[in-house]
Amino acid sequence: MTADASPAPPLSGRPAATGTGAPGGPGPSPLTDAVAPRHALAHDASHYLLVPEAVAAPTSEADVIAHLRAAAAARRPLTFRSGGTSLSGQAQSSSVLANVRRHFRGIEVLDDGARVRVGPGATLGSVNAHLARHRRRLGPDPASSTACTIGGVIANNSSGMAAGTAENSYRTLESLRFVLASGTVVDTALPDADARLRRDEPALHEGLARLAARVREDPDAVRVIRERFALKNTMGYGINALLDFETPAEVLAHLVVGSEGTLAFVSEAVFRTVAVPRETATGLLAFPSLHEATLALPGIVEAGFATVELLDARSLRVAQGLAAPPREIAGLEVADHAALLVEQRAETPEELAEAVARGERLAAGLELASAFSMTTDAARRAALWTTRKGLYAAVAGARPVGSTALLEDVVVPVPALDATCTGLAELFDTHGYADPVIFGHAKDGNIHFLLNETLGDGSARYEAFTEDMVELVLGHGGNLKAEHGTGRVMAPFVERQYGPALYAVMREIKALVDPAGILNPGVILTDDPAAHTRDLKPVVGIEEEADRCVECGYCEPVCPSRDLTLTPRQRIVLRRDEALARERGDVATAEAIAAAYDYEGIQTCAVDGMCVTACPVAIDTGDLVRRLRAESAGRVEAAAWDAAAGHWGAMTRGASAALSAAGTMPSVLPAAATGVARAVLGADTVPAYRPELPRRGGAVRRAGARGRTGAATVAVLMPACVGTMFGPADAGRGAVGSVAARPTGDGHGPCGGGCACGEAGGASAGTGGVTAALGTLVERAGVRVAIPDGVDGLCCATPFSSKGMRAAKARMHARLREVLVAAARDAGADGAPVPVVVDAASCTEGVLAALEGTGIEVIDAVTFARRELLGRLAVTRPAGSVTVHPTCSTTHLGATDDLVAIARACVGEGGEVVVPVDWGCCGYAGDRGMLHPELTASATRAEAAEVAGHETDWYVSANRTCELGMTAATGRTYRHVLELLAAATA
């Protein structure tokens, strides 16, 4: 067995011993009954809401065992939660909720990617990112893959777009390690797992063997199980395990799959992975109607498409309203249309060409509403799949004000899909549901349909519709849940799908495995026939920036504060719960949420906008936070920032001078001084003096030109003010114990004494910062950039915007437009303005916003260098290896590919460029890393661990404050990638 070289955190913190463990072990991690954490974790993606009376955050398997034993002793229900993307109410509790997402994220790639060992808190997207270098992935491929966790993937027996029943969690699981309610640990990777189970849990072992024998001896039971599980099926327990496996230990492990936390806690799993095909083509079959699309399905399935995704007319109309709809959808004049998103996959171009030709021949015989073609273009394919995967949240985000989006998920045999869709349409009309949506995995007969319901008064209609829908689906030989899990929403109907005998088997399984009934009660099995209509989530309006949120949780993995305080989803739901509490007169709850929210919701938000990159309805929670900061700002603070906007040059020079003065002192003195000021004036007002800060400020920005004298001016350069405030890495104290980048100098360029950096030559010399490096690069490339008059007083206005200082932001934006538009036009030839180039990615974003609508192109220096300079330069001193930290701003600007491309150009043949799999926003966010260094420490923890495991010669990024943040996090000195380019070229 070979393990991947990438470092991984512990999967479960498990002890070396297995079995019941020694008695009298450590107690459980403390529970908290504080209001804000309970409400933040109460919400998931379903339409239910239960607020736990206490929450826990177990740190290890031993900790989980302690919690389970405490819960059993107190007969206190316990529910485990990880991603919270579930749609059926599985991840909620009115008792104790244990959040296992933070401490169980380990990923260990085995056998060159053929297998992978994972913890329940790791996201599916992260696991696949680690597997990507081996051209492997996990079998389950749900639409929520970027946010759903392995715990949920196992708990719900996830399948998805292409997995079907062959590559779902149940079928690709190799071994499972889990903890029973009693505290017993079962690990099926052990050769004597079954013997251990017989020893540790004899009644359970004997009971499972007896149940399996009883089911196998009942031909009718066998028939029903085989019929139900020939289709996708997440209704009830996976009792097909009683037929599929021989030993009680393996039966139990596969009963745990799909058990939604009602049988055990999964501490880690080993999966067999599936190959990622080398060649892929995607296309859209557009039909005049849903009826014609479903009628064509059997032939399309027989054609061997890897995926066949259904989108009805309203799905298509919603997709057309997205920011960048695929051209295949944008060009449709949608009336009653429906479409099938299809994909062919192959290992060679020849095999793909044959598969595409087969599909196109099939399409030629269909009555389509538009021309059909398949594309291998990565951008077009990504656009189609981004639309499909975000469809639920996008449709739900467009719901009427005051309504809740209810998403159901059923499966029928493919030949019955047309009749089922027709029957559903009739039920929508009968029960008065306007604008319903149908979409889903048509290849498997698995469709999702979405209704907008006003819960409360509307729950009677919802209940009546559900009864009719159940009869319709079961009448066509289908299952009431295909992949979203039984949860609370279908628990009252499990017996109706399976019949009394098999339902009794499920009841016996629960009683055997969890005799006290402490694990996630009310989920899968219930005695309440109306359970699906109870604990419905109320709808309450808050700020317009957030009202579209459907609480899907897609935003959470990219949020830098996710492990410190709150995620974007939690920032929104706490605003909702505070508003709801005030509406109900519950002042104590409202005030408790408000008291916690200042630090957790506002001050530790990086307002980096990464959430919008993952949100299907394009919510930037930073907009909400900026609004709240603006509303809470006092007149004195606002006036001070407005004054700063008018005297920005003096402000930046002052900051630079302060750093230079601090650099002459022992670091303990400025740190102590800022510590006192923070204690008096507040940690949200005074930045801390940090060890990563440079010893001196940078050079003052001055007007003029850089580059070859007499050459054509190709751009206006706005050197970012962060370069004046924070000098280059070479001027910094550096991180204690840092491993600095090791550029070499030879007297002929940067670091060698012949450039603008002013450094002496030698291996330890610096590169003078990005502005100096860019000046050298344009000269070498034989071009010229102009730096406008007044540049020393300019700022991108991001500092004002992030703090909610709207007047100061508007003032600075006006100044930017005045100076930069004039400079761009003056520098251009024949009346055509040249682009404006900014040398810090976050500042590029701000200038881009300021110049919107002016007709002036604004690009980041990284993109400019790749586009205009790289082809004119020769790499003569290649670096051996480079670690690249993309930033939130390069993501928003679409410049990350440029950043990586420049790094690759600088290493040449045989060199290595490393982009950490676990990279994310560093959370430094201008001054946020100095105001709240704990934010950066938390945001960078996973990336820093990955960087520590693989040393390289250079560490680069594209923004000065991000470089400071990563230097603080890793102990390596990060520089701008253009400093690397200057050092590598001549």
Side-chain angles (χ1 to χ4, degrees), residues 390-416:
L391 194 56
Y392 157 65
V395 173
R399 68 197 182 279
V401 174
S403 67
T404 297
L406 306 180
L407 185 69
E408 286 296 348
D409 143 69
V410 300
V411 62
V412 295
V414 170

Side-chain angles (χ1 to χ4, degrees), residues 720 722-723 726 770 796 798 838-845 860 862 885-890 893 899 922 924-926 956-966 974-979:
V722 291
F726 307 114
V770 61
C796 66
T798 298
V838 188
D839 62 8
S842 64
C843 303
T844 306
E845 280 195 274
D860 187 68
V862 171
H885 171 69
T887 74
C888 52
S889 293
T890 61
L893 294 166
L899 171 63
C922 68
Y924 213 80
V956 301
S957 190
N959 201 71
R960 187 70 188 103
T961 52
C962 300
E963 294 155 25
L964 294 173
M966 291 307 300
Y974 276 74
R975 292 174 166 82
H976 197 286
V977 71
L978 296 191
E979 298 179 66

Side-chain angles (χ1 to χ4, degrees), residues 757-831:
C757 71
E759 300 285 348
S764 62
T767 58
V770 61
T771 305
L774 185 55
T776 299
L777 290 169
V778 295
E779 181 169 352
R780 286 178 182 163
V783 297
R784 193 170 178 82
V785 295
I787 301 178
D789 292 333
V791 70
D792 62 321
L794 296 182
C795 171
C796 66
T798 298
F800 313 122
S801 174
S802 66
K803 294 180 182 297
M805 299 300 162
R806 295 169 177 169
K809 172 187 171 182
R811 182 173 183 176
M812 185 57 76
H813 273 191
R815 179 68 177 146
L816 279 169
R817 287 191 293 272
E818 177 187 352
V819 172
L820 294 181
V821 170
R825 289 174 178 162
D826 289 346
D830 302 323

